[in-house]
């Protein structure tokens, strides 16, 4: 799927509603970015080598570099959510994001590893307020980034 197709899917009004509805419930706690990173490491151990620059990840809550990345991740997600009303801005943000990740050897496949941890995170934090449709909507936003990574 190309960037334009992925953006069209992610900016569908129902998808935007689902993403914003769930984001509103979890966005206030900035440390959720660290929670999501830890979940990624637990569920996709092959992701860990991509974060060697962060040092020892055995005690993630006391790793300042991981904390910084988790906070940056959380603000980055906010940025993507904010751009859902403007396809051009969403594309620009996704392409900028892809340049940064491609430079670190993270491509579409590797970035796709976040889908399952994100789904589990949403289900744990939101309980029965998180439906399969919510998870699928977030997957469509991830697919925008993956498409941009493919084209980078």
């Amino acid at each position: 799927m190309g960037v334009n197709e992925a953006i069209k899917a992610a900016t569908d009004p129902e998808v935007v509603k689902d993403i914003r509805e769930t984001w509103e419930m979890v966005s206030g706690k900035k440390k959720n970015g660290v929670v999501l990173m830890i979940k990624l490491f637990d569920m996709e151990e092959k992701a860990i080598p991509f974060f060697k620059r962060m040092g020892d990840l055995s005690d993630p809550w006391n790793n300042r570099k991981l904390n910084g990345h988790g906070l940056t991740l959380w603000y980055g997600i906010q940025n993507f959510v904010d751009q859902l009303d403007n396809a051009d801005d969403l594309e620009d943000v996704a392409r900028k994001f892809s340049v940064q990740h491609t430079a670190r050897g993270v491509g579409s496949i590797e970035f796709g590893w976040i889908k399952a941890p994100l789904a589990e995170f949403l289900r744990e934090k939101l309980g029965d307020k998180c439906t399969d449709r919510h998870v699928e909507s977030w997957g469509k936003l991830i697919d925008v980034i993956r498409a941009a990574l493919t084209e980078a």
Side-chain angles (χ1 to χ4, degrees):
M1 174 183 320
V3 172
N4 290 334
E5 295 85 5
I7 287 173
K8 185 175 181 179
T11 58
D12 174 271
E14 288 299 313
V15 172
V16 171
K17 177 182 166 284
D18 290 343
I19 291 171
R20 288 203 169 131
E21 182 177 276
T22 50
W23 181 245
E24 186 176 307
M25 291 185 266
V26 298
S27 64
K29 189 172 180 188
K30 307 290 185 259
K31 294 292 183 176
N32 278 339
V34 179
V35 173
L36 183 56
M37 294 300 303
I38 293 169
K39 198 161 283 306
L40 171 66
F41 299 151
D42 288 346
M43 295 178 71
E44 294 289 348
E45 288 185 23
K46 56 191 170 200
I48 294 171
F50 289 90
F51 295 89
K52 285 182 183 177
R53 69 190 183 285
M54 293 186 190
D56 183 11
L57 297 173
S58 64
D59 186 10
W61 287 108
N62 290 309
N63 182 314
R64 301 275 309 271
K65 289 181 181 178
L66 180 62
N67 183 62
H69 188 79
L71 291 168
T72 300
L73 167 67
W74 212 241
Y75 286 113
I77 294 171
Q78 178 68 59
N79 194 19
F80 280 101
V81 173
D82 287 347
Q83 307 318 315
L84 289 171
D85 293 323
N86 185 309
D88 289 340
D89 290 346
L90 180 58
E91 179 177 353
D92 292 344
V93 169
R95 290 194 186 280
K96 170 63 175 156
F97 184 90
S98 70
V99 168
Q100 294 169 326
H101 283 73
T102 300
R104 291 190 175 106
V106 176
S108 176
I109 291 170
E110 294 82 10
F111 193 79
W113 296 339
I114 197 67
K115 278 189 172 184
L118 178 59
E120 186 172 302
F121 167 84
L122 290 168
R123 287 187 172 110
E124 285 177 4
K125 295 291 181 183
L126 303 176
D128 61 1
K129 293 177 184 170
C130 180
T131 67
D132 289 343
R133 194 177 93 182
H134 289 114
V135 170
E136 290 166 13
S137 292
W138 277 97
K140 290 176 182 179
L141 182 55
I142 301 273
D143 288 343
V144 171
I145 300 163
R146 293 183 71 201
L149 283 162
T150 298
E151 293 182 10

